[in-house]
Amino acid sequence: MVGRIVDLTHVIEPTAADAERKFVVNIHDALQEVPGTARPEGEWYVMSDVELMDHVGTHIEAPLHCLRDGMDLSQIPLEKLIGEAVILDLRDAYSDSGVTLIQVKKAVDAAGGLKRNDIVFCMMGETDYFSTEGIRWLVDSGIKLMGVDSAGVEIPHSVSHANENHLALFRAEIPLIERLANLDKLSKPRVQVYALPIPVEGLDAFPLRVIAIE
Ligand SMILES: [Zn+2]
């Protein structure tokens, strides 16, 4: 029996032809119709070339995103991508230095606690990134996959370009999902999740379908 399915994925729309180079999604015909081919009304035969910045929409980042010798998409074990997710509500967690350790712990308590090998998905608010202590504590708690509904987790305007929060996750082989959708549609703080990227060798990130089953 399948329970209630909640899609945690944003729809990706092709960008306009003149879109900024970053975050582009272009779809072109890959096939040319053989001249003289006649098809019944309403039929065609298409295949497409797709040009895609690999961090568009709801996407997963493998450790390779920040670590030269890190796992690529094809190397993420399926065990990390399927399992129980704890939903942390951090929408009211305001802090200039990123969501704090105390705010993370409070949200974990409100969600009924955290177990080793949990997936953690976070509903972010105005403060849409983490303090490194907050991320480190989640890593040290033994989570296997992290996701946020914001565009990222990194401390903005970090002059060092250190990617500290990404690295805290990736050094522990924890992939990161960004731009999750519909976390507020879940009715329970603990749900079964499937987050399955296409296994592309040598790639750091890619859009994926993420679903929760209640
Ligand atoms: Zn990204």
Side-chain angles (χ1 to χ4, degrees):
M1 254 313 269
V2 173
R4 174 175 173 254
I5 299 171
V6 181
D7 196 343
L8 304 181
T9 320
H10 285 288
V11 171
I12 294 175
E13 293 176 3
T15 41
D18 58 351
E20 200 190 335
R21 177 74 197 119
K22 209 179 172 194
F23 303 125
V24 82
V25 181
N26 286 327
I27 301 174
H28 331 268
D29 288 348
L31 285 182
Q32 273 174 3
E33 193 71 271
V34 179
T37 305
R39 294 187 189 279
E41 179 71 21
E43 289 187 17
W44 66 1
Y45 184 73
V46 289
M47 289 188 184
S48 304
D49 279 331
V50 181
E51 184 189 7
L52 191 78
M53 212 289 284
D54 64 357
H55 292 245
V56 292
T58 305
H59 63 279
I60 188 165
E61 299 178 345
L64 183 66
H65 182 43
C66 295
L67 293 170
R68 287 171 185 270
D69 293 325
M71 280 190 284
D72 68 24
L73 280 181
S74 71
Q75 294 168 324
I76 302 174
L78 284 172
E79 290 74 21
K80 284 187 184 285
L81 303 168
I82 299 171
E84 279 191 17
V86 176
I87 313 301
L88 302 189
D89 187 349
L90 296 164
R91 287 175 292 185
D92 293 330
Y94 182 81
S95 167
D96 271 340
S97 52
V99 171
T100 65
L101 175 56
I102 289 168
Q103 289 165 338
V104 169
K105 284 182 172 176
K106 207 178 128 197
V108 166
D109 285 344
L114 199 55
K115 293 186 292 207
R116 288 199 82 73
N117 286 320
D118 270 343
I119 295 168
V120 170
F121 283 173
C122 304
M123 272 188 277
M124 308 300 282
E126 196 183 334
T127 301
D128 56 1
Y129 57 98
F130 281 82
S131 67
T132 302
E133 304 80 62
I135 287 257
R136 284 243 167 81
W137 185 80
L138 290 171
V139 170
D140 293 343
S141 302
I143 65 167
K144 63 181 182 180
L145 171 67
M146 176 152 181
V148 290
D149 61 2
S150 58
V153 295
E154 206 57 63
I155 302 152
H157 319 303
S158 165
V159 283
S160 65
H161 297 286
N163 294 319
E164 270 182 275
N165 288 349
H166 279 83
L167 286 168
L169 294 167
F170 295 157
R171 290 210 160 99
E173 302 200 319
I174 300 167
L176 171 65
I177 300 173
E178 294 176 341
R179 293 189 192 278
L180 284 165
N182 299 325
L183 291 177
D184 60 342
K185 306 272 181 359
L186 297 168
S187 61
K188 294 171 186 160
R190 185 173 277 274
V191 292
Q192 181 74 13
V193 156
Y194 298 82
L196 302 175
I198 294 167
V200 187
E201 251 180 39
L203 205 57
D204 66 295
F206 212 62
L208 81 170
R209 196 72 182 255
V210 186
I211 60 164
I213 298 181
E214 295 190 323

